[in-house]
Amino acid sequence: MRQETILNYKNFLWLWIHLGALIVVLIIYALHDPIGAPNGGTWLGYSYGIIAALGMCVLMWFGIRKRSFFSSKTTLKGALAVHVWLGIFLLFLVPLHSGFSFGANVHTLAYILMVLAIFTGIWGAINYFSLAPEVGSHRGKGNLKELLQQLDIISSSIDALTIQKSKKFIDLTRMFDFTFQPTLKRALCQSMMSAPVPRDVAAFVSDLNPSEKDEGVNLIGLINRKYELANLIIEETRVHFWLKLWLYLHVPIAVAAFAVMVIHIISIFYYR
Amino acid sequence: MKLKYTIHTIKKNGQTEIKSSQFDTFPIVIGRGGASAILLESKLVSLEHVSIQVSDNVPYVYDLDSSSGVFLNNAKIVNARLKTGDILKLSDISIAVEIENNEIHLTEERRDDLDVDPEEQANKLVTALSIESHIPTLRNLCLGFAGIVAILFFILPVIGVNKGSWSSGPISNNHKMIEQDCSACHEKAFHAVPDSKCMSCHVMTDHSPTLPRLISANEDLDISCATCHTEHNGNHHLVDQASALCSSCHGDITNINPETKLENIDSFDSHPQFKASIRKDSEGKEFARISLEDRESLTDPTPIKLNHKVHLEKGIRGPEGEVDLNCSDCHRLGKDRKVIEPISFERDCKSCHPLSFDDRLPNKEVPHGDPNLVYSYLYAEYAKLALGGGSSPKEDEEFNVRRKPGFTVERETSKVVTFTKSNISKESRSAEEQLFTKTACQLCHVSVEVSIENKDVNFDGTQSRFKLLTPEIPSKWFPASTFSHGAHDEVQCESCHNLATHSVAESTSTKDLFLPGIETCQECHSATASSGFIKSNCVMCHSYHESLTMNHNEKRSLKDIVVSLNKRK
């Protein structure tokens, strides 16, 4: 059975509902022949404006629904399905509301902010589908905290191995080991680290004193594991960053869009 | 020389544990591992970071090609001499240097990490790697964003700054100069623009005498200037031409105004046949609206005689030989390029029909106008002749007799050469009678001789014995509409001005009215722009109201208007 997601919730129920609604509003718009050009002031303009404003309220309601963990009337998945498809529907409804008249004013700003909110939302949904499977812990690997702890242990083990070793052994360590202090900036900017090529390592290990060879092999194993962990930490940090960044744009822009929409409504009735 | 390395470990409970180690074999390596004699607990320190060496009893520090470098008193060094008071910095570890009695004291202060929960350490690092620790909280971001837009686009416009951001669209070019002053049109918040604001600059005629009464009686009839004139749509629609604006009432006018004589009209396609406004009788001031379908009743009672047939014949005699007359030789397009100008005797008739009256006075013509004026003129001319001031006729000259072009009229001429007062009167009356009953006037006009018993007329005085029935030819037969003749310039006149029974060229009476019916218009015009028709709305022919001139004492000075409305500095 196919997994049910926010998009195909109940067999794309909300997609079909909004697609149907979109076709209806497009047909009415096409048949509508107002005096002058279509604009927000015609009966159809007002009707679409009211629908869009209610739609915005439903979109904002998701912020509340998301946080009410004990709500049983709606499922969170269903609410998110409505949220996604309704947002995309409004992308088309609002230009019909205004009759495609845009200008440098608060009314168009409301639309621009709404579009930005919707696009950051779409970006978030894309991130959710493309990046969530990338999260290590979702694939049975350790989470970021466990990775960091493991890295700590490996680093200490490498350091411990080097104590009172020959110069060659120290040189080997210095050549292949690395210090790794992860920060968000580094994780985002730094490219993945590549572990030493086995052939190079083999040459150095075979050069060691016979008594240190076993430990040399051990050391290389640890260093390889350290690289692996460091890369996992970088990747995990990146994935978490992109999985969350869109929300820090989406939510404040959506709130601003809602605020500007309220100002838009007040202003058009203020100067009727 | 010896080296003493002391570690001050500050425990969580505040106590300090001191641990010292002594070294006397130089060089002494300090680092994270490898050959380091002194091990540092930092991941950022290299395996072998620095070495301390002594030369001539002087201690030196050497960087062992460490990854993060060596800093002595915050200056990066490769090698340097150590002195008392120096601070040696290896990555995140600081070491104080003191040299006393041939002994190097190196002191490192450590916080006791052993007591710190490694879980907690890892959690801290995870937090540091998350986006949350780098930007404000969602709540603060939301409040910030909403606050900024509320200030910029709500508070500022309400207090009068950045008001333009509330404009629902660009203002029309006609109103650009008052764009800055919202209150020039918007009087009260949350109320529509009142008509009084429009009428403070524009004075208009009423649409109809019944409309104000209907509006006050019918609450549903919400008609204001702004119903049709929508602003903030740029240069479009300030004067909208949509027929729907008219048909919203006229489509149901019999319901809205049960007393109306109008029919319901939805569009040009359902427009009833035109009705011409025609005088009920030849002199009456009352008009009847007669449908063009009712061709029987459709006759013009105006007392004027013109034989179109004669005038439109080929090669009729003109003053300078044969001419072919066309419609536009007499019916001329007005300056507005819409309405045909009224016929003017001076311009259209006189060249062929001069108002001369006596062959002895060949260059004299009576004025075209009031019969009394005509008689006064005649009397004055004969008086001048009597007093010798006028020219006397030449016996051998051919008579210059009033005639219709193409006809010859025999006229008995007076042989009297000496005049008395009674002679002047007699001559004048004779000429008058000729003019009004036989020659010039009666050609076109209907004259009535005033009865001799009528005491109002002084027959010895200067009053005329004749009256003409005034021909008041309407300049528009459809007063509620304007047809643009100029816009139809390339169309032959007779294409539209024709009757089923006969054409203008066959018409012998001015009673014939050659007004085209709506079916003629509908050959090209339709309510919709489909299948080769010109989309025609109501205002193509009709107007809602006419612009009036403003009352003089309501006018403002230019300066007042510019300063008060535009608020230009």
Side-chain angles (χ1 to χ4, degrees), chain B residues 136-165:
Chain B
T137 61
L138 261 186
R139 179 187 295 261
N140 287 345
L141 277 175
C142 290
L143 289 173
F145 273 50
I148 289 167
V149 297
I151 290 168
L152 287 179
F153 300 106
F154 186 74
I155 294 173
L156 290 185
V158 165
I159 62 172
V161 187
N162 192 21
K163 275 197 289 189
S165 69

mmCIF file of all heavy atoms in Angstrom, chain B residues 136-165:
data_model
loop_
_atom_site.group_PDB
_atom_site.id
_atom_site.type_symbol
_atom_site.label_atom_id
_atom_site.label_comp_id
_atom_site.label_asym_id
_atom_site.label_seq_id
_atom_site.Cartn_x
_atom_site.Cartn_y
_atom_site.Cartn_z
ATOM 1 N N PRO B 136 16.343 34.924 15.903
ATOM 2 C CA PRO B 136 15.327 35.142 16.930
ATOM 3 C C PRO B 136 14.261 34.051 16.898
ATOM 4 O O PRO B 136 14.130 33.334 15.908
ATOM 5 C CB PRO B 136 14.714 36.496 16.549
ATOM 6 C CG PRO B 136 15.694 37.135 15.644
ATOM 7 C CD PRO B 136 16.433 36.043 14.971
ATOM 8 N N THR B 137 13.498 33.973 17.952
ATOM 9 C CA THR B 137 12.457 32.940 18.008
ATOM 10 C C THR B 137 11.362 33.269 16.994
ATOM 11 O O THR B 137 11.203 34.418 16.585
ATOM 12 C CB THR B 137 11.810 32.883 19.396
ATOM 13 O OG1 THR B 137 11.209 34.158 19.642
ATOM 14 C CG2 THR B 137 12.816 32.568 20.477
ATOM 15 N N LEU B 138 10.617 32.242 16.624
ATOM 16 C CA LEU B 138 9.524 32.420 15.661
ATOM 17 C C LEU B 138 8.554 33.491 16.137
ATOM 18 O O LEU B 138 8.109 34.335 15.364
ATOM 19 C CB LEU B 138 8.762 31.105 15.494
ATOM 20 C CG LEU B 138 9.094 30.246 14.286
ATOM 21 C CD1 LEU B 138 8.134 29.076 14.215
ATOM 22 C CD2 LEU B 138 9.040 31.041 12.990
ATOM 23 N N ARG B 139 8.241 33.458 17.425
ATOM 24 C CA ARG B 139 7.285 34.422 17.976
ATOM 25 C C ARG B 139 7.795 35.857 17.771
ATOM 26 O O ARG B 139 7.062 36.720 17.299
ATOM 27 C CB ARG B 139 7.097 34.133 19.468
ATOM 28 C CG ARG B 139 6.136 35.092 20.149
ATOM 29 C CD ARG B 139 6.131 34.843 21.642
ATOM 30 N NE ARG B 139 5.608 33.524 21.938
ATOM 31 C CZ ARG B 139 4.342 33.300 22.320
ATOM 32 N NH1 ARG B 139 3.521 34.300 22.460
ATOM 33 N NH2 ARG B 139 3.927 32.080 22.575
ATOM 34 N N ASN B 140 9.108 36.053 18.094
ATOM 35 C CA ASN B 140 9.659 37.405 17.942
ATOM 36 C C ASN B 140 9.714 37.827 16.482
ATOM 37 O O ASN B 140 9.459 38.985 16.149
ATOM 38 C CB ASN B 140 11.051 37.492 18.566
ATOM 39 C CG ASN B 140 10.968 37.476 20.076
ATOM 40 O OD1 ASN B 140 9.881 37.689 20.638
ATOM 41 N ND2 ASN B 140 12.076 37.217 20.731
ATOM 42 N N LEU B 141 10.051 36.860 15.611
ATOM 43 C CA LEU B 141 10.083 37.181 14.179
ATOM 44 C C LEU B 141 8.696 37.594 13.694
ATOM 45 O O LEU B 141 8.542 38.570 12.964
ATOM 46 C CB LEU B 141 10.563 35.967 13.382
ATOM 47 C CG LEU B 141 12.075 35.760 13.294
ATOM 48 C CD1 LEU B 141 12.365 34.446 12.585
ATOM 49 C CD2 LEU B 141 12.749 36.903 12.548
ATOM 50 N N CYS B 142 7.674 36.839 14.133
ATOM 51 C CA CYS B 142 6.298 37.147 13.717
ATOM 52 C C CYS B 142 5.899 38.530 14.209
ATOM 53 O O CYS B 142 5.362 39.350 13.459
ATOM 54 C CB CYS B 142 5.333 36.105 14.264
ATOM 55 S SG CYS B 142 5.533 34.514 13.481
ATOM 56 N N LEU B 143 6.175 38.768 15.507
ATOM 57 C CA LEU B 143 5.817 40.075 16.080
ATOM 58 C C LEU B 143 6.550 41.188 15.350
ATOM 59 O O LEU B 143 5.984 42.233 15.041
ATOM 60 C CB LEU B 143 6.140 40.112 17.575
ATOM 61 C CG LEU B 143 5.226 39.265 18.465
ATOM 62 C CD1 LEU B 143 5.747 39.246 19.896
ATOM 63 C CD2 LEU B 143 3.802 39.808 18.438
ATOM 64 N N GLY B 144 7.823 40.924 15.037
ATOM 65 C CA GLY B 144 8.630 41.932 14.352
ATOM 66 C C GLY B 144 8.082 42.241 12.968
ATOM 67 O O GLY B 144 7.853 43.400 12.616
ATOM 68 N N PHE B 145 7.843 41.187 12.187
ATOM 69 C CA PHE B 145 7.329 41.373 10.824
ATOM 70 C C PHE B 145 5.985 42.098 10.854
ATOM 71 O O PHE B 145 5.760 43.063 10.131
ATOM 72 C CB PHE B 145 7.153 40.007 10.123
ATOM 73 C CG PHE B 145 8.388 39.515 9.428
ATOM 74 C CD1 PHE B 145 9.612 39.473 10.080
ATOM 75 C CD2 PHE B 145 8.337 39.080 8.110
ATOM 76 C CE1 PHE B 145 10.740 39.013 9.444
ATOM 77 C CE2 PHE B 145 9.468 38.622 7.453
ATOM 78 C CZ PHE B 145 10.669 38.580 8.126
ATOM 79 N N ALA B 146 5.087 41.586 11.720
ATOM 80 C CA ALA B 146 3.747 42.172 11.775
ATOM 81 C C ALA B 146 3.837 43.621 12.246
ATOM 82 O O ALA B 146 3.126 44.501 11.746
ATOM 83 C CB ALA B 146 2.853 41.356 12.703
ATOM 84 N N GLY B 147 4.742 43.865 13.207
ATOM 85 C CA GLY B 147 4.909 45.230 13.727
ATOM 86 C C GLY B 147 5.389 46.180 12.646
ATOM 87 O O GLY B 147 4.862 47.289 12.487
ATOM 88 N N ILE B 148 6.363 45.723 11.854
ATOM 89 C CA ILE B 148 6.912 46.603 10.807
ATOM 90 C C ILE B 148 5.818 46.967 9.793
ATOM 91 O O ILE B 148 5.621 48.132 9.466
ATOM 92 C CB ILE B 148 8.101 45.909 10.101
ATOM 93 C CG1 ILE B 148 9.298 45.847 11.051
ATOM 94 C CG2 ILE B 148 8.491 46.660 8.828
ATOM 95 C CD1 ILE B 148 10.411 44.934 10.595
ATOM 96 N N VAL B 149 5.068 45.954 9.336
ATOM 97 C CA VAL B 149 4.039 46.272 8.331
ATOM 98 C C VAL B 149 2.924 47.117 8.942
ATOM 99 O O VAL B 149 2.369 47.993 8.281
ATOM 100 C CB VAL B 149 3.465 45.011 7.632
ATOM 101 C CG1 VAL B 149 4.534 44.304 6.857
ATOM 102 C CG2 VAL B 149 2.787 44.086 8.616
ATOM 103 N N ALA B 150 2.625 46.869 10.228
ATOM 104 C CA ALA B 150 1.561 47.654 10.878
ATOM 105 C C ALA B 150 1.972 49.120 10.986
ATOM 106 O O ALA B 150 1.169 50.026 10.741
ATOM 107 C CB ALA B 150 1.250 47.087 12.254
ATOM 108 N N ILE B 151 3.245 49.348 11.307
ATOM 109 C CA ILE B 151 3.713 50.744 11.425
ATOM 110 C C ILE B 151 3.743 51.401 10.043
ATOM 111 O O ILE B 151 3.185 52.473 9.834
ATOM 112 C CB ILE B 151 5.115 50.792 12.091
ATOM 113 C CG1 ILE B 151 5.003 50.399 13.562
ATOM 114 C CG2 ILE B 151 5.726 52.192 11.954
ATOM 115 C CD1 ILE B 151 6.322 50.140 14.241
ATOM 116 N N LEU B 152 4.362 50.711 9.082
ATOM 117 C CA LEU B 152 4.535 51.315 7.753
ATOM 118 C C LEU B 152 3.214 51.500 7.024
ATOM 119 O O LEU B 152 3.004 52.513 6.362
ATOM 120 C CB LEU B 152 5.459 50.449 6.896
ATOM 121 C CG LEU B 152 6.939 50.467 7.248
ATOM 122 C CD1 LEU B 152 7.707 49.538 6.327
ATOM 123 C CD2 LEU B 152 7.498 51.883 7.133
ATOM 124 N N PHE B 153 2.331 50.536 7.153
ATOM 125 C CA PHE B 153 1.153 50.557 6.279
ATOM 126 C C PHE B 153 -0.162 50.775 7.003
ATOM 127 O O PHE B 153 -1.202 50.794 6.390
ATOM 128 C CB PHE B 153 1.105 49.268 5.440
ATOM 129 C CG PHE B 153 2.312 49.110 4.577
ATOM 130 C CD1 PHE B 153 3.293 48.185 4.889
ATOM 131 C CD2 PHE B 153 2.497 49.926 3.474
ATOM 132 C CE1 PHE B 153 4.425 48.067 4.102
ATOM 133 C CE2 PHE B 153 3.620 49.813 2.680
ATOM 134 C CZ PHE B 153 4.593 48.886 3.000
ATOM 135 N N PHE B 154 -0.106 50.916 8.339
ATOM 136 C CA PHE B 154 -1.356 51.247 9.022
ATOM 137 C C PHE B 154 -1.214 52.538 9.822
ATOM 138 O O PHE B 154 -1.903 53.520 9.572
ATOM 139 C CB PHE B 154 -1.809 50.104 9.936
ATOM 140 C CG PHE B 154 -3.157 50.361 10.545
ATOM 141 C CD1 PHE B 154 -4.307 50.257 9.777
ATOM 142 C CD2 PHE B 154 -3.281 50.751 11.867
ATOM 143 C CE1 PHE B 154 -5.551 50.528 10.325
ATOM 144 C CE2 PHE B 154 -4.523 51.020 12.419
ATOM 145 C CZ PHE B 154 -5.657 50.902 11.642
ATOM 146 N N ILE B 155 -0.270 52.546 10.745
ATOM 147 C CA ILE B 155 -0.152 53.711 11.627
ATOM 148 C C ILE B 155 0.261 54.948 10.826
ATOM 149 O O ILE B 155 -0.366 56.003 10.930
ATOM 150 C CB ILE B 155 0.831 53.404 12.774
ATOM 151 C CG1 ILE B 155 0.215 52.309 13.650
ATOM 152 C CG2 ILE B 155 1.118 54.661 13.604
ATOM 153 C CD1 ILE B 155 1.099 51.765 14.720
ATOM 154 N N LEU B 156 1.293 54.805 9.989
ATOM 155 C CA LEU B 156 1.740 55.972 9.201
ATOM 156 C C LEU B 156 0.633 56.503 8.288
ATOM 157 O O LEU B 156 0.353 57.699 8.292
ATOM 158 C CB LEU B 156 3.009 55.650 8.412
ATOM 159 C CG LEU B 156 4.285 55.470 9.238
ATOM 160 C CD1 LEU B 156 5.489 55.277 8.326
ATOM 161 C CD2 LEU B 156 4.521 56.663 10.153
ATOM 162 N N PRO B 157 -0.050 55.656 7.502
ATOM 163 C CA PRO B 157 -1.128 56.212 6.667
ATOM 164 C C PRO B 157 -2.237 56.879 7.488
ATOM 165 O O PRO B 157 -2.778 57.894 7.082
ATOM 166 C CB PRO B 157 -1.668 54.980 5.921
ATOM 167 C CG PRO B 157 -0.529 54.047 5.872
ATOM 168 C CD PRO B 157 0.201 54.246 7.173
ATOM 169 N N VAL B 158 -2.556 56.296 8.664
ATOM 170 C CA VAL B 158 -3.632 56.883 9.470
ATOM 171 C C VAL B 158 -3.223 58.271 9.960
ATOM 172 O O VAL B 158 -4.045 59.191 10.002
ATOM 173 C CB VAL B 158 -4.006 55.945 10.650
ATOM 174 C CG1 VAL B 158 -4.834 56.676 11.683
ATOM 175 C CG2 VAL B 158 -4.778 54.748 10.120
ATOM 176 N N ILE B 159 -1.944 58.446 10.316
ATOM 177 C CA ILE B 159 -1.536 59.778 10.763
ATOM 178 C C ILE B 159 -1.129 60.667 9.585
ATOM 179 O O ILE B 159 -0.668 61.784 9.778
ATOM 180 C CB ILE B 159 -0.406 59.731 11.826
ATOM 181 C CG1 ILE B 159 0.864 59.092 11.248
ATOM 182 C CG2 ILE B 159 -0.864 59.016 13.080
ATOM 183 C CD1 ILE B 159 2.058 59.189 12.169
ATOM 184 N N GLY B 160 -1.303 60.174 8.384
ATOM 185 C CA GLY B 160 -1.145 61.057 7.217
ATOM 186 C C GLY B 160 0.152 60.903 6.458
ATOM 187 O O GLY B 160 0.395 61.629 5.505
ATOM 188 N N VAL B 161 0.992 59.958 6.862
ATOM 189 C CA VAL B 161 2.235 59.730 6.117
ATOM 190 C C VAL B 161 2.036 58.443 5.304
ATOM 191 O O VAL B 161 1.326 57.540 5.746
ATOM 192 C CB VAL B 161 3.425 59.557 7.085
ATOM 193 C CG1 VAL B 161 4.742 59.489 6.315
ATOM 194 C CG2 VAL B 161 3.465 60.694 8.077
ATOM 195 N N ASN B 162 2.669 58.382 4.129
ATOM 196 C CA ASN B 162 2.590 57.178 3.294
ATOM 197 C C ASN B 162 1.142 56.823 2.952
ATOM 198 O O ASN B 162 0.751 55.665 2.887
ATOM 199 C CB ASN B 162 3.267 56.002 4.031
ATOM 200 C CG ASN B 162 3.491 54.798 3.121
ATOM 201 O OD1 ASN B 162 3.508 54.944 1.902
ATOM 202 N ND2 ASN B 162 3.642 53.624 3.699
ATOM 203 N N LYS B 163 0.317 57.873 2.748
ATOM 204 C CA LYS B 163 -1.101 57.646 2.458
ATOM 205 C C LYS B 163 -1.296 56.977 1.109
ATOM 206 O O LYS B 163 -2.266 56.261 0.907
ATOM 207 C CB LYS B 163 -1.856 58.980 2.458
ATOM 208 C CG LYS B 163 -2.284 59.401 3.842
ATOM 209 C CD LYS B 163 -3.355 60.456 3.773
ATOM 210 C CE LYS B 163 -2.827 61.780 3.285
ATOM 211 N NZ LYS B 163 -3.800 62.863 3.421
ATOM 212 N N GLY B 164 -0.350 57.253 0.217
ATOM 213 C CA GLY B 164 -0.461 56.692 -1.135
ATOM 214 C C GLY B 164 -0.523 55.178 -1.133
ATOM 215 O O GLY B 164 -1.066 54.579 -2.042
ATOM 216 N N SER B 165 0.041 54.568 -0.082
ATOM 217 C CA SER B 165 0.045 53.104 -0.050
ATOM 218 C C SER B 165 -1.361 52.544 0.088
ATOM 219 O O SER B 165 -1.589 51.373 -0.167
ATOM 220 C CB SER B 165 0.929 52.601 1.089
ATOM 221 O OG SER B 165 0.341 52.914 2.322
#
